Amino acid sequence: GLPIKRFEKIFGAVFITRDASLIDDAFNSLVITILAILVVSFVVTIPILLVFFMHTILRPLRRLANAADMVRSAPGKVRTIPGFENRNDEIGALAADLNAMTDALSQRLDAIENFAADVAHEIKNPLTPIQLSIDRIREKYLKKN
């Protein structure tokens, strides 16, 4: 029997007169039911979570990777990575950083192209009169000979 206590004072006792196997069977049935509910909830929840993560994380990362590949394959032509302006999460921050990097890269490429054009112009300008002088000298000496 089990004593019934309140503030360390015994008020009575409980004696079990039935077979405990019924309680064990009920407990085991409850454990099996709880395990079945857990398995079913995992089987239902995991695909839902996978679809959710695919749409919120994997697809935007794939789009960012494709946009970065476009920037790599056409430097200076792709100026922004569109479609992520409204995201206020890490992917949006990554897209903003990639946009800033792409813009800085485009500005540097423009500066390099302008510098190369200026250098080519500066080299070409003095060469044109020299070329004309050489042509005149050739004409002059070739006509004499």
Side-chain angles (χ1 to χ4, degrees):
L2 295 173
I4 299 174
K5 293 183 180 180
R6 184 171 180 172
F7 302 115
E8 298 299 322
K9 185 176 180 186
I10 297 177
F11 283 101
V14 175
F15 288 98
I16 298 176
T17 58
R18 297 193 94 185
D19 187 16
S21 66
L22 292 174
I23 296 172
D24 288 341
D25 291 342
F27 180 76
N28 289 338
S29 175
L30 182 63
V31 167
I32 289 172
T33 303
I34 290 172
L35 287 175
I37 290 171
L38 284 174
V39 167
V40 168
S41 66
F42 279 130
V43 167
V44 170
T45 304
I46 288 176
I48 291 171
L49 287 175
L50 288 175
V51 168
F52 174 75
F53 286 133
M54 187 180 82
H55 284 288
T56 58
I57 296 173
L58 297 179
R59 185 175 290 164
L61 285 177
R62 188 173 301 123
R63 285 178 52 207
L64 282 175
N66 290 339
D69 190 46
M70 286 174 42
V71 170
R72 181 190 58 79
S73 62
K77 293 184 176 42
V78 178
R79 298 267 181 186
T80 61
I81 299 172
F84 295 96
E85 297 84 15
N86 297 328
R87 289 191 69 127
N88 293 325
D89 58 359
E90 289 80 8
I91 293 176
L94 178 62
D97 290 342
L98 283 174
N99 273 331
M101 180 192 70
T102 302
D103 187 46
L105 177 64
S106 295
Q107 288 177 5
R108 287 190 181 127
L109 288 174
D110 289 345
I112 290 171
E113 286 176 6
N114 290 337
F115 176 75
D118 290 345
V119 168
H121 179 71
E122 292 299 324
I123 290 174
K124 188 177 177 182
N125 275 350
L127 290 180
T128 302
I130 294 172
Q131 183 67 37
L132 288 173
S133 298
I134 291 173
D135 290 342
R136 285 184 189 152
I137 292 171
R138 278 187 189 157
E139 285 177 13
K140 190 176 186 180
Y141 286 108
L142 286 177
K143 285 182 180 179
K144 288 183 178 182
N145 293 335

